[in-house]
Amino acid sequence: IYLFDGTLVAGYDRSNSLLEAVLEVAEYKSRAILGFSKESLLVRGAAEMELWDRDISPPYVRDLTGPIKSVWSGIKPLGSVFLVKLAPSLYPFRVDAYPAERGIDALSSLLSSDALIHGYPETLILAHTHATFSWMDVVAMRSTLLGQTSTAISSIFNQRLMVLTPFETRGHEDPT
């Protein structure tokens, strides 16, 4: 199983060909891909309310591929789309699966092979943790840019705080 952060959707951006190439490699190697989305309109809709109304306990998997393809004409899912709640947690997630026919099997394999933290795969949490910049990384990049170019960086508009603070994992470091 390959895990992705985000949807497996053919959209209007330039990453479309890259995503399709990754999907081809996965299919060639007989692998499945699961794309987890923490934020989605699907998660905030009526399907989520069904979880609460019927008091369904996890794991809960609902295939929403058909309704999505009929309602969203400009967005093309490249596999199956599920609303899932894999563990007793506060939130369900949107999970895209490719190839479409292997989605349920891939979710079953994930449940037996990866730890879940708040219903989210630990592997993706670790990827998020290790993909963020520390304060020292930002200082080093800024120093390098200033040394190699004649760019002036204004401290009035602090892009680092605006962009990176929500993802900062090192609370002991000074963000100024």
Side-chain angles (χ1 to χ4, degrees):
I1 301 171
Y2 299 134
L3 294 177
F4 272 55
D5 180 22
T7 61
L8 305 178
V9 172
Y12 303 107
D13 61 2
R14 294 184 189 156
S15 64
N16 201 20
S17 60
L18 177 61
L19 177 60
E20 288 178 350
V22 169
L23 297 178
E24 283 179 25
V25 169
E27 192 167 11
Y28 175 76
K29 293 185 174 193
S30 298
R31 301 285 192 257
I33 296 178
L34 296 175
F36 275 75
S37 300
K38 294 173 289 304
E39 295 289 330
S40 173
L41 295 174
L42 297 177
V43 173
R44 305 270 186 259
E48 181 185 19
M49 296 312 297
E50 180 181 348
L51 290 172
W52 308 118
D53 292 344
R54 292 180 33 198
D55 196 28
I56 298 172
S57 60
Y60 172 85
V61 178
R62 181 167 180 192
D63 190 345
L64 298 174
T65 309
I68 285 175
K69 286 184 176 181
S70 67
V71 173
W72 294 347
S73 60
I75 299 174
K76 177 187 160 198
L78 299 175
S80 297
V81 179
F82 300 101
L83 176 70
V84 303
K85 189 170 184 181
L86 300 177
S89 62
L90 201 52
Y91 302 108
F93 299 99
R94 172 188 171 157
V95 175
D96 292 19
Y98 182 88
E101 63 276 1
R102 295 193 49 211
I104 299 295
D105 290 338
L107 286 166
S108 296
S109 294
L110 176 71
L111 284 171
S112 65
S113 64
D114 200 358
L116 297 174
I117 299 173
H118 303 294
Y120 196 72
E122 182 183 35
T123 304
L124 286 178
I125 291 172
L126 291 172
H128 280 283
T129 301
H130 295 295
T132 58
F133 294 116
S134 71
W135 174 241
M136 291 308 295
D137 294 334
V138 174
V139 168
M141 286 185 280
R142 182 177 177 168
S143 176
T144 301
L145 283 173
L146 290 174
Q148 293 179 355
T149 65
S150 59
T151 306
I153 297 178
S154 170
S155 61
I156 297 170
F157 180 69
N158 191 332
Q159 286 178 295
R160 184 219 177 269
L161 286 177
M162 185 177 80
V163 174
L164 297 178
T165 299
F167 306 105
E168 186 66 57
T169 58
R170 294 158 182 91
H172 65 280
E173 297 172 358
D174 184 10
T176 58

